[in-house]
Amino acid sequence: MRYPKLRELKEAVKALIKGPYTSKFPFQPHKPFEGFRGKPQFFEKDCVGCTACVNVCPSGALSFEDRVENGKGSRLLTRRLDICIFCGQCQANCLTGEGIKLTQEFDLAILGKRDELAETIEKELVLCAGCLEIIAPADQIKWVAKKLGPLTFSNASLMLYYLAEKGLSYINSFLSKETSASRKDRIKLLCPKCRRLAVIKS
Ligand code: SF4
Ligand code: SF4
């Protein structure tokens, strides 16, 4: 017969005094330890729709889709829990640092369809007044303008959007299909291609 080692005996005595190490979940709520990587969650107010998190997500749990309809654009960002590996890369690489965070939620099993584990948020897209090409999400432009401060005025589109947001100018009267860009169109929100065209034509 093999005798238990001293270390094991010590652990057994400790367990007798302290009680079991395991929690009583699911019969009692379980509070995960600090830094536990649970369900990632979008925080819509702090997300600017840049898609940096989508680019670093190794499992493809994050995705986005851009829609342009009737002169309006929107970006749909989706997080799927069924293929998330809870690595935390999205949180670590979020542009604002607050747009997506891993929570302490871990009890994520469902009886329904996998699609029920998806979460989607929507961000408004700013479009070029010339060709309706997507420039960037509106929130991202505002975020960049805030970061740049006075340097915002070194970029025409950024400046125009910033001033319009402050109610100091108006933007996005679209160019008519019959006319091509001219000098006056330089004071419009344009993608780099249309701005080049407007500058050359003027
Ligand atoms: S935790 Fe990892 S796998 Fe899950 S959404 Fe974030 S980056 Fe993707
Ligand atoms: S702001 Fe953060 S959460 Fe939002 S799209 Fe960019 S990286 Fe993802």
Side-chain angles (χ1 to χ4, degrees):
M1 183 187 149
R2 294 186 64 187
Y3 294 101
K5 292 180 201 152
L6 273 177
R7 181 178 58 81
E8 288 158 348
L9 272 173
K10 195 173 139 200
E11 287 300 319
V13 173
K14 256 166 69 180
L16 275 175
I17 299 162
K18 285 178 93 178
Y21 284 93
T22 50
S23 74
K24 289 200 165 37
F25 180 83
F27 303 106
Q28 284 177 15
H30 170 68
K31 191 175 181 313
F33 52 85
E34 206 181 315
F36 175 82
R37 297 201 302 257
K39 172 186 161 188
Q41 189 179 323
F42 281 122
F43 290 85
E44 200 165 348
K45 189 175 69 63
D46 298 308
C47 169
V48 296
C50 68
T51 71
C53 54
V54 177
N55 285 308
V56 296
C57 177
S59 69
L62 296 172
S63 60
F64 76 97
E65 186 194 346
D66 288 342
R67 289 184 186 161
V68 178
E69 278 166 11
N70 305 323
K72 289 197 185 311
S74 61
R75 172 167 290 168
L76 302 173
L77 287 146
T78 301
R79 180 234 53 208
R80 286 182 51 186
L81 282 182
D82 53 331
I83 48 177
C84 173
I85 56 171
F86 308 96
C87 64
Q89 285 302 307
C90 49
Q91 176 179 308
N93 292 283
C94 175
L95 181 70
T96 65
E98 305 282 333
I100 190 164
K101 284 184 181 170
L102 270 61
T103 63
Q104 294 219 316
E105 268 184 74
F106 63 91
D107 187 14
L108 306 172
I110 56 159
L111 291 171
K113 295 194 171 154
R114 297 173 74 168
D115 289 350
E116 289 172 25
L117 290 167
E119 178 195 19
T120 299
I121 59 168
E122 188 171 341
K123 292 276 143 186
E124 179 199 341
L125 289 172
V126 176
L127 306 177
C128 169
C131 63
L132 293 185
E133 183 64 51
I134 294 163
I135 297 179
D139 286 347
Q140 190 176 354
I141 296 181
K142 286 182 232 165
W143 186 83
V144 170
K146 201 172 161 196
K147 282 268 168 197
L148 285 178
L151 287 175
T152 296
F153 294 89
S154 62
N155 178 291
S157 290
L158 210 52
M159 174 189 76
L160 285 167
Y161 194 80
Y162 177 78
L163 290 176
E165 274 292 301
K166 301 276 172 209
L168 297 173
S169 78
Y170 65 93
I171 50 165
N172 266 3
S173 51
F174 289 96
L175 307 183
S176 81
K177 287 207 174 83
E178 294 78 40
T179 58
S180 55
S182 63
R183 185 177 179 81
K184 66 178 168 38
D185 295 320
R186 289 172 68 172
I187 311 300
K188 280 186 177 151
L189 259 178
L190 298 173
C191 68
K193 193 173 149 211
C194 289
R195 186 163 300 287
R196 254 194 323 271
L197 207 65
V199 171
I200 290 168
K201 294 244 170 154
S202 65

